[in-house]
Amino acid sequence: MLRRIWSLVIKEFIHLRNDWWLPAFMLLGGASELLLVGWATSRPINNLPIMVLDHDRSQASREFVTALENTGTFSQPQYVSDMPTIDDALVRGKINAAVIIPPDFDEQMDSSNGTPTIAVILNGSESTPAIAAKRAVEGLAQDMGQRIMIRRLGLPADEFAGFDPSLRVWFNEALSEALYTTPAELGLMLEFTVLLFAALAFSRERELGTLEQLLVMPFSSMEIIIGKSIPVIIVGFTDFLLMLSMVHFAFGVPVRGSLPLLVVLAFGYLMVELGKGLVISVVSRTQHQAFLLVMLVGMMDFMFTGYAAPVEGMPQVLQWFANIIPAHHWLTILRGILLKGAGLDVLWPHLLWLAGLGLVIGTFSLRFVRRALD
């Protein structure tokens, strides 16, 4: 039995050698995408283009524009003389924000009553830069408002104190976006790699017309399944170790928990996704159809992993549905071990869900594939 399985494994690696571009694309392509996503999200949002329409042209207005530039979020402001120029730049996407300073801004700043006003327009069609610009403007406005209040009250600055909460951030002290996105991207790329390789296992044979030859050979259906699965697990596990090394050494994602535990659980997750991929492989008539089904299943899983939107913010029905998505529990386990240093005492509910889903998916997959091959 072992000798027959080994011969099937060798046959699969011969297929991969002939179609070398596929494993190369999945290994290097997934790692490249992970590298680009990590690089893009690890950089702060700065140098956003901005226009200024200054009707006042006073010392106070120049100080405000300088303070806005010193936030680091905006590039050097471009002064314009009319509102149509700003409208045209916003429509064409040339700027992310615009500031309109009224003619009496200096008088409003020196006045003992009234509130100085400045109009700020943000390009909401690009929400991420708009949120960063909004936070910068709000922070500057809060600081200026506090200084104006202190001056009007005539109090020393060191005696003017308000509510100041003690804020501490755990697990991601710098609030680096890369520490959130790169583990999630790792989990998703791992799922796509395993699903795609497994989905091509039988669909490739059927498209090439060699499946019937394989079935008439002296192999049992279980031996064929095992022989097809071993190369998928080897390639998927290699991809996992490659991407884990990348997120750790290239982006500084810590491994605060047990690395052996993470490796063991990763292997278990690979087995769960392998079962899904084999079912896709059996129901697909061509490799192209298998690829489309993998994209459909993978994108549906993507929506319930918490990567695009927090699962906790979804309606309760969708939160229940997310529990039957293995990738949802895998990403929770992955982030828990990497960022929080969590162990089985914390992660056991997700581990039980993953084990239960693996048992159901594996049993169904094994019976379905064996019935299709018999």
Side-chain angles (χ1 to χ4, degrees), residues 202-345:
F202 293 106
S203 60
R204 179 178 59 241
E205 300 279 1
R206 181 178 286 110
E207 185 174 358
L208 295 177
T210 57
L211 181 59
E212 290 78 7
Q213 299 176 12
L214 184 63
L215 294 179
V216 297
M217 290 183 179
F219 298 116
S220 67
S221 58
M222 180 61 70
E223 291 172 347
I224 295 176
I225 294 173
I226 296 175
K228 290 282 188 180
S229 301
I230 290 177
V232 176
I233 294 297
I234 292 176
V235 173
F237 202 72
T238 302
D239 191 33
F240 169 72
L241 295 177
L242 175 63
M243 292 190 293
L244 181 62
S245 301
M246 180 176 294
V247 300
H248 178 65
F249 294 107
F251 301 108
V253 177
V255 184
R256 297 190 173 113
S258 171
L259 182 59
L261 175 62
L262 178 61
V263 171
V264 171
L265 296 183
F267 181 81
Y269 174 69
L270 290 178
M271 298 299 294
V272 177
E273 296 298 341
L274 172 66
K276 293 165 58 178
L278 290 178
V279 173
I280 295 175
S281 182
V282 169
V283 300
S284 301
R285 296 300 174 184
T286 63
Q287 297 182 73
H288 182 68
Q289 187 180 30
F291 179 79
L292 293 178
L293 287 176
V294 167
M295 294 300 297
L296 177 63
V297 173
M299 293 307 298
M300 185 184 68
D301 289 355
F302 169 80
M303 297 305 299
F304 294 97
T305 57
Y307 186 11
V311 176
E312 295 79 10
M314 296 180 180
Q316 188 63 50
V317 175
L318 295 183
Q319 293 185 39
W320 292 336
F321 183 78
N323 285 325
I324 64 173
I325 304 297
H328 166 64
H329 301 284
W330 164 241
L331 286 187
T332 303
I333 292 172
L334 182 63
R335 288 198 187 104
I337 294 177
L338 292 180
L339 301 181
K340 300 179 181 180
L344 291 178
D345 57 328

Side-chain angles (χ1 to χ4, degrees), residues 22-32 193 197 235-236 238-239 242-243:
L22 180 60
F25 173 76
M26 293 305 301
L27 291 175
L28 300 181
S32 300
T193 299
F197 271 109
V235 173
T238 302
D239 191 33
L242 175 63
M243 292 190 293

Side-chain angles (χ1 to χ4, degrees), residues 184-204:
E185 194 71 22
L186 186 158
L188 292 175
M189 286 297 99
L190 181 62
E191 177 183 7
F192 275 106
T193 299
V194 177
L195 279 180
L196 184 56
F197 271 109
L200 296 179
F202 293 106
S203 60
R204 179 178 59 241

Side-chain angles (χ1 to χ4, degrees), residues 80-96:
V80 296
S81 57
D82 53 35
M83 192 64 194
T85 304
I86 292 179
D87 293 339
D88 182 71
L90 285 171
V91 171
R92 296 178 181 274
K94 294 181 178 180
I95 60 174
N96 292 100

